[in-house]
Amino acid sequence: MTPTLNDNKRPWITGSRRAKLAAVGAAALIVGGFAFGPSAFGDAAPTKFPAAEIHKPSPMPDRVILTPTTTPATSQKVTWRAEASSEWAQAQILEAPKALGDVAPAAGAVTTVNASANSSVNTSLGYASSYHTVEFSGLKPNTRYTYRVGDGTNWNEWSDFTTAAEGFSPFSFIYYGDAQNYIDSAVPRVFRQAFADRPEAKMIVNAGDLIDSANSDEQWGQWFKADGFINQQVNNISIPGNHEYSGGLSGFWRPQFPYPDNGPGNAELKQTTYYVDYQGVRFIGLDSNVQSVPALMASQTAWLDGVLKDNPNKWTVVTFHHPVYSNTSTRNNPQVRDQWGPLLEKYGVDLVLQGHDHSYARGNVATTRKSSTVHNGVVYVVSVSGGKMYELNGGENWTGNGAELSSRSENIQLYQMIDVEGDSIRFEARSANGEHQDGFLIRKNDAGVRTVNEFRTPENSTGERALTAQKTVAVGEKIGVKAYNYDPNETVSVYLRSTTLGEGKPGVLIASKKADELGQFNYTFTVPEGTKKGSTQVVYLVSENQKITTPAITISK
């Protein structure tokens, strides 16, 4: 039976009637063959809706955001903005139920927690914004909770978060470079596409310059709207960029982002320099905006040395705004590079996530290069999520300071997805339209030895990519060969192949061996009897994922 609607309740105009009305409306605007717009009938063009009206606070909570504590398995902070007195600001929490609404929570299931911090920030829009923070404590590890915030009468919608697991557990997080500009127009699609690609992400890392004007309530409102509900259910780790400073740190920073107070102890660095341990990863945030203040740089450097040295986690991610190696113009951050760079290398930090240069670049210290597709060093990344773009320079700030570039691009908005496993970190950068831009895989064993591997492609998994020290060798002497970027324990067949051999013929099989747990292959063999003297040979390595050779080797007479 086809459903019907009673005409008295019909919420839309039927197709034929809609067409007739559209025709009548169009005819009314065409007189004597001339089309007339609204202004011809005295209607003025729409005026811009005032920012003070768009962003003014009300008793209804907005700008709700999760920030991690030092014990993310058993506690969680949530901050929001609302017109509510400190006496009434509160939150409610319960273990996530199967249903709400008609299904009331069981008696005693809901806990009410009063706000532990309340701050008012004056704005240039003619009002003050009041921020409130609740810390939920005594939670169960790896448990999903449902919460809401408000004043006991005016509540936001229920939202969910999941506490961290105790110790290591695989998870994903998202990293953004500068949002800063076009926050209300170009940035939201980046944030939303990132969440669509990693809906189970547990953390979002912002490498500074979230906004353009440090104390603009309008821009902070735009930034929160760009993320929408995402901030309500995913923890946020942010550090300030230079645009969060204007005659000092933004007055919005600490009320909005009550990060752990476990930094160096300087009042100026409170909640801009801190660390969080989350499921086997130590996240460290630094404030690179104080490069011109020697005492604050020295304090952070000493503190960084300590938190890297005394680090029980297998993985380490450090984020700050100003890059160790810059991509654009003549920018240069020698204080960051000279003071923090040696510590990042000494302690084998895995990822350094940065912003500021409004472009993309990835690289490493040049001496860590092992092959054309693999190195074993710290990975330095610079990215941008907003719509303001800078032109790339020639890479001289990298190469002139002992580093090398693996990937770079300009005029592109990006988000980065990082997947943490027990023995690997997978990093992929995608553009605003969801297309792949760059990627690599870090593998690390329990001894802390690692390889950083380019994503394999048809282009980089064939050709002359294996290594040997021998250029000339005699029959009966040994050849050593090294190769990289295999899967752990992948089987590799080793052939000695004449350079005159026809295409498709592998040569003389020497052995089949396995790569190690990091995807490295290292094998030494004796040149077999019967190998033609005076010939040129290559070692040909064949596996499921690669078909590569060494440079040519001459078999001496």
Side-chain angles (χ1 to χ4, degrees):
M1 178 180 176
T2 302
T4 60
L5 287 173
N6 183 289
D7 286 345
N8 293 330
K9 297 180 179 179
R10 184 160 46 196
W12 61 76
I13 301 171
T14 60
S16 60
R17 187 178 173 209
R18 185 188 301 115
K20 291 174 183 177
L21 288 175
V24 170
L29 294 176
I30 300 175
V31 180
F34 294 95
F36 294 87
S39 60
F41 298 93
D43 288 345
T47 59
K48 186 173 176 61
F49 195 57
E53 293 298 316
I54 297 172
H55 299 287
K56 68 180 180 180
S58 76
M60 290 301 298
D62 62 7
R63 305 186 188 182
V64 183
I65 188 167
L66 297 176
T67 53
T69 69
T70 56
T71 55
T74 56
S75 62
Q76 177 66 64
K77 282 187 177 180
V78 58
T79 296
W80 71 99
R81 187 186 75 151
E83 287 183 335
S85 67
S86 58
E87 177 185 3
W88 290 103
Q90 60 189 274
Q92 291 184 328
I93 188 170
L94 71 159
E95 286 194 37
K98 294 181 178 179
L100 286 168
D102 284 348
V103 183
V110 178
T111 299
T112 300
V113 182
N114 292 326
S116 57
N118 301 275
S119 303
S120 183
V121 182
N122 290 323
T123 75
S124 60
L125 297 179
Y127 55 76
S129 283
S130 296
Y131 292 87
H132 314 279
T133 298
V134 158
E135 181 171 344
F136 300 121
S137 59
L139 306 179
K140 299 177 183 177
N142 197 28
T143 301
R144 184 166 175 164
Y145 286 90
T146 300
Y147 77 97
R148 63 179 181 176
V149 299
D151 59 12
T153 301
N154 302 290
W155 298 99
N156 77 322
E157 71 276 15
W158 291 102
S159 299
D160 286 16
F161 69 84
T162 300
T163 51
E166 289 276 20
F168 176 80
S169 185
F171 71 100
S172 298
F173 68 96
I174 296 166
Y175 147 55
Y176 299 124
D178 307 32
Q180 186 181 344
N181 305 94
Y182 307 98
I183 311 169
D184 60 339
S185 59
V187 172
R189 63 190 290 255
V190 178
F191 289 177
R192 293 165 192 175
Q193 184 62 50
F195 184 75
D197 285 347
R198 284 297 181 278
E200 297 301 322
K202 301 299 184 184
M203 199 79 69
I204 294 173
V205 174
N206 290 285
D209 280 6
L210 287 64
I211 44 77
D212 188 52
S213 299
N215 293 302
S216 169
D217 189 68
E218 178 183 11
Q219 291 181 17
W220 282 115
Q222 292 171 348
W223 184 83
F224 276 98
K225 286 184 178 181
D227 252 332
F229 68 88
I230 301 168
N231 284 335
Q232 298 177 206
Q233 61 191 54
V234 180
N235 266 294
N236 187 289
I237 286 180
S238 295
I239 49 85
N242 52 297
H243 284 269
E244 274 77 51
Y245 276 84
S246 179
L249 182 65
S250 168
F252 290 86
W253 187 266
R254 294 186 179 104
Q256 292 176 157
F257 305 121
Y259 291 120
D261 188 9
N262 58 4
N266 310 72
E268 300 93 330
L269 300 173
K270 182 178 180 180
Q271 292 165 333
T272 67
T273 302
Y274 59 94
Y275 73 89
V276 172
D277 290 341
Y278 191 93
Q279 292 186 187
V281 178
R282 173 156 287 184
F283 290 93
I284 300 173
L286 294 167
D287 191 342
S288 60
N289 298 284
V290 296
Q291 294 177 67
S292 62
V293 186
L296 295 181
M297 283 298 290
S299 182
Q300 286 190 93
T301 301
W303 175 83
L304 177 62
D305 193 356
V307 296
L308 289 175
K309 182 178 182 179
D310 184 20
N311 181 4
N313 301 278
K314 182 172 184 175
W315 302 106
T316 306
V317 176
V318 178
T319 183
F320 47 84
H321 186 62
H322 298 81
V324 175
Y325 308 103
S326 291
N327 303 342
T328 57
S329 185
T330 57
R331 286 183 165 186
N332 189 22
N333 303 297
Q335 296 302 323
V336 168
R337 187 168 54 253
D338 295 344
Q339 296 192 48
W340 298 348
L343 296 178
L344 303 174
E345 294 292 330
K346 175 182 178 180
Y347 292 106
V349 167
D350 298 293
L351 293 173
V352 179
L353 308 179
Q354 307 151 107
H356 194 53
D357 284 353
H358 294 258
S359 54
Y360 182 82
R362 168 174 65 89
N364 50 276
V365 171
T367 55
T368 64
R369 174 64 52 190
K370 307 303 289 184
S371 76
S372 60
T373 59
V374 174
H375 68 86
N376 65 359
V378 179
V379 182
Y380 299 89
V381 184
V382 180
S383 191
V384 59
S385 61
K388 179 183 178 182
M389 303 297 171
Y390 292 163
E391 184 178 351
L392 290 170
N393 60 23
E396 54 269 16
N397 196 249
W398 291 77
T399 57
N401 290 289
E404 62 180 15
L405 278 159
S406 298
S407 176
R408 64 180 189 149
S409 56
E410 60 188 357
N411 296 325
I412 188 168
Q413 289 177 266
L414 296 154
Y415 58 93
Q416 288 71 217
M417 306 171 296
I418 298 98
D419 305 319
V420 181
E421 300 287 343
D423 297 320
S424 67
I425 287 181
R426 183 186 187 276
F427 179 109
E428 183 181 0
R430 293 183 183 175
S431 56
N433 63 359
E435 292 182 359
H436 171 81
Q437 180 66 26
D438 184 37
F440 59 90
L441 183 71
I442 304 175
R443 292 193 178 99
K444 185 159 67 172
N445 61 24
D446 290 338
V449 180
R450 72 174 164 219
T451 57
V452 180
N453 308 266
E454 299 289 329
F455 283 178
R456 285 189 297 259
T457 67
E459 293 75 26
N460 70 17
S461 55
T462 58
E464 189 181 294
R465 298 186 181 275
L467 308 172
T468 182
Q470 282 85 2
K471 294 182 178 180
T472 302
V473 66
V475 172
E477 293 184 341
K478 294 186 180 299
I479 295 177
V481 60
K482 293 182 178 180
Y484 298 87
N485 210 5
Y486 293 101
D487 285 347
N489 303 311
E490 184 175 346
T491 298
V492 181
S493 295
V494 182
Y495 295 87
L496 189 62
R497 176 181 175 179
S498 170
T499 56
T500 63
L501 199 61
E503 192 69 30
K505 297 181 180 180
V508 177
L509 179 64
I510 302 298
S512 290
K513 299 291 182 180
K514 290 185 180 294
D516 68 13
E517 60 187 341
L518 300 178
Q520 303 174 117
F521 184 77
N522 191 346
Y523 182 62
T524 300
F525 65 94
T526 300
V527 178
E529 294 291 335
T531 304
K532 185 178 179 181
K533 296 178 181 180
S535 66
T536 54
Q537 307 276 335
V538 294
V539 180
Y540 182 38
L541 304 179
V542 179
S543 73
E544 180 181 355
N545 291 303
Q546 298 192 91
K547 293 181 178 180
I548 59 177
T549 72
T550 64
I553 303 167
T554 300
I555 306 300
S556 59
K557 295 182 179 180

